[in-house]
Amino acid sequence: MSNAYAEVIGDPIAHSRSPMIHSFWLEKLGIDAAYRAHHVTPDTLADYFVQRQADPDWQGCNITLPHKEAALDHVEDRGGLRQSIGAINTVLRDEDGALIGTNTDAAGFYTPISGLDLSGETVALVGAGGAARAVLFALKRADVGAVVLLNRTPLKAAALLASFDLKGEALPLDAPLPAVPLLVNASPLGMTGQEPLALDLDPLPNDAIVYDLVYVPLETELLVAARGRDLDTVDGLDMLIGQAAIAFELFFGKAPPRDCDDELREALIS
Ligand code: NAP
C-alpha cells in the first residue's frame, strides 16, 4: 500500500471541499494515494514547508485562506505570480526537490467559458479581492478589450485594473450594468450570511453569460435572476472543480475523470 498523499492547508481548514473532490477522483481512478485537509496556522507555515519538502510521500498541496500570499515567501515563484495574481493556491516539488508555487484558480475560472471568444470584448466584473485578481489574469490572457469593474470601493478597483494594464472603468456597485457578453461576480455578495448582489440585469444582451464564483449557496439570487431572463449561467462549483482538476493532475500525474462531474456535483451539494 502506498503512503503517497497530497493535502490542502489553511486556517481554518475543516470547511474545505478539496478533500471530497480529490478523494472522489482518486477512488474513481483507483489511485492508491490520499488527499486530506491539514490545519496550518500562519506561525507554522514556514515549518510546514521545510518538513514536507523532506517527506518523500508528499505530492504537493493546495493552499487556502489565509496563506495564499504568505506561501509565496517559502517557494520558488517561477511564473512571476507575485506580480500578477499576487497569490498561489498550489505547491509542488520538482525533480530537484525545489518547492514550486503555482496558481490554478485563473485556469479553473476560464475553463467553463473557454469556448467564448472574448477577444476585444468588454466584460463586467464585480469585486476587487483575491478571486477578482485570478479572473482579471484570465481575462487579460483571453485578450478582452476592456473590463468594467464594479466594486464597493471604486478606487481600489481602478488600481487593480491599472495593475493588470487593462482598459476599462471602475464603478460603484449601484452603477448600471453595460451591455456586455459576460458578467462575473467575484465578490462574496450572494454568499450565505452576506447581502445578495442586487444588480439590474436588463442591460445585458439575450446571449450574455452570468458567472457567479460564489458556491455556497449554489443557486445565488444573481443566478436565479439571470435564469429568469433566460441567460446562460455558470456557478461557483464549475470553477472549484476546474481549479482542483488542474492541481489533481499535477499531484497524481493523471487527468481526473471529468465525465463524472455530475456525480461529483451531487456529492458536493448533498
Ligand atoms: P475577498 O478578497 O474577501 O473579496 C473582497 C472583495 O469583495 C472586495 O472587492 C470587497 O470590496 C468586496 N466585498 C466584501 N464584502 C463586501 C460587502 N459586504 N459589500 C460589498 N462588497 C464587499 O474574497 P475573495 O477571496 O476574492 O472571494 C470572493 C468570492 O469568490 C467569495 O465568495 C469566494 O467564496 C469566491 N471564490 C470562489 C472560488 C471558486 O472556486 N468558485 C474561488 C475563489 C473565491 P472592497 O474592495 O470595497 O473591500
Side-chain angles (χ1 to χ4, degrees), residues 15 34 46 64 76-77 89-90 136 145 155-156 214 225 240 243 259:
H15 67 286
T64 189
E76 288 184 26
D77 176 23
N89 75 338
T90 304
L136 287 171
L155 212 56
K156 192 170 148 195
V214 169
L240 190 73
Q243 60 78 27
D259 54 333

Side-chain angles (χ1 to χ4, degrees), residues 114 122 162:
S114 55
T122 298

Side-chain angles (χ1 to χ4, degrees), residues 1 7 65 98 121 135 146 163 183 187 224 260:
M1 172 153 174
E7 58 196 350
L65 300 177
E121 299 281 359
V135 171
S163 77
L183 164 68
S187 82
V224 170
C260 302

